[in-house]
Amino acid sequence: MLMQPAFEKLHAMKLTGMADAIRRQLEDPEAGQLGFEERLAMIIDHQWTWRQNKALVRRMKSAHLKQEAAIEDVDYRHPRRLDRALIRSLADCQWVVQHQNILVTGPTGVGKSFIACALAQKALRDGFTGMYARAPRLLRDLAVARADGSFGKLLDKIARTDILVVDDWAMAPLADSERRDFLEVCDDRYASRSTILTSQVPLAQWHDQIGDPTIADSILDRLVHNAHRIELHGASMRKAKAGKPVREENRD
């Protein structure tokens, strides 16, 4: 086949999308009726889409989101006082561009984690990077990193991530080392990156859960300032939808 060497070169240059597009044109009799410029534009568009999709897969894999949530699948029917207008406004990801935070609070089972992951997933689709962690795991990883000398490296990784999702925040009082470590995370990200926190604990009680008044003030000033608040209420969606097929599967 005369085109085989060309295909091999395209793959060697990591232009797999372009190679696929050319193969499709060769197999499509109608493609021969198009002009050179049209066919070239289609090949370039296919390569562009291929690269964008591959990059999204990498971002999704790196983020380790807890759920396969999508903003299009958020359920507004359940009576949990979810502001549809707010969610739609956040879907444009300007909150990431402007380095704003999102705080999602409410009782167990009302879909806090789903909403957090859905907002993060939309940002990943728009080209931003993300990282998901439950608060206990994040604090444990920070403690281990401090002990083995990799603390600075882990902080740098978190600081470079566009969106940090911290699930189950403030569920238990923080130890002194935990609040100091988390303050460093907040310091690095303040006004330069965005953070999503979910918690069953009302925002008014976070100060007491953090513990030290001075550090609590510093952490909350960096988190709450310029943050969007999503306060959910009502009964668990798991109980309400038990046994029913739904798009939004809530697991807080």
Side-chain angles (χ1 to χ4, degrees), residues 5 17 20-21 28 35 48 56 60 79 96 100 128 133 137 151 155 160-161 166 175 182 191 204 207 209 226 235 249:
D20 290 343
D28 183 3
W48 174 263
L56 174 59
M60 292 291 292
V96 186
Q100 298 170 345
F128 298 100
R137 175 64 181 271
F151 188 70
L155 280 182
R160 291 193 303 269
T161 302
V166 181
F182 195 72
H207 196 281
Q209 292 293 81
N226 208 22
E249 297 176 0

Side-chain angles (χ1 to χ4, degrees), residues 14 33 39 45 49 78 94 106 181 185-186 193 199 211:
K14 301 186 184 302
Q33 300 175 14
R39 296 181 65 173
D45 284 345
T49 301
H78 187 79
Q94 283 302 301
D181 287 348
V185 171
C186 294
R193 295 291 188 271
S199 181

Side-chain angles (χ1 to χ4, degrees), residues 141-188:
D141 288 348
L142 289 167
V144 171
R146 186 179 287 279
D148 66 17
S150 62
F151 188 70
K153 183 177 180 180
L154 179 56
L155 280 182
D156 288 342
K157 176 183 177 181
I158 297 174
R160 291 193 303 269
T161 302
D162 294 321
I163 305 144
L164 173 64
V165 181
V166 181
D167 213 354
D168 295 331
W169 165 249
M171 296 289 287
L174 270 61
D176 183 61
S177 59
E178 292 176 333
R179 53 179 167 253
R180 291 182 184 278
D181 287 348
F182 195 72
L183 176 57
E184 291 210 43
V185 171
C186 294
D187 270 336
D188 287 345

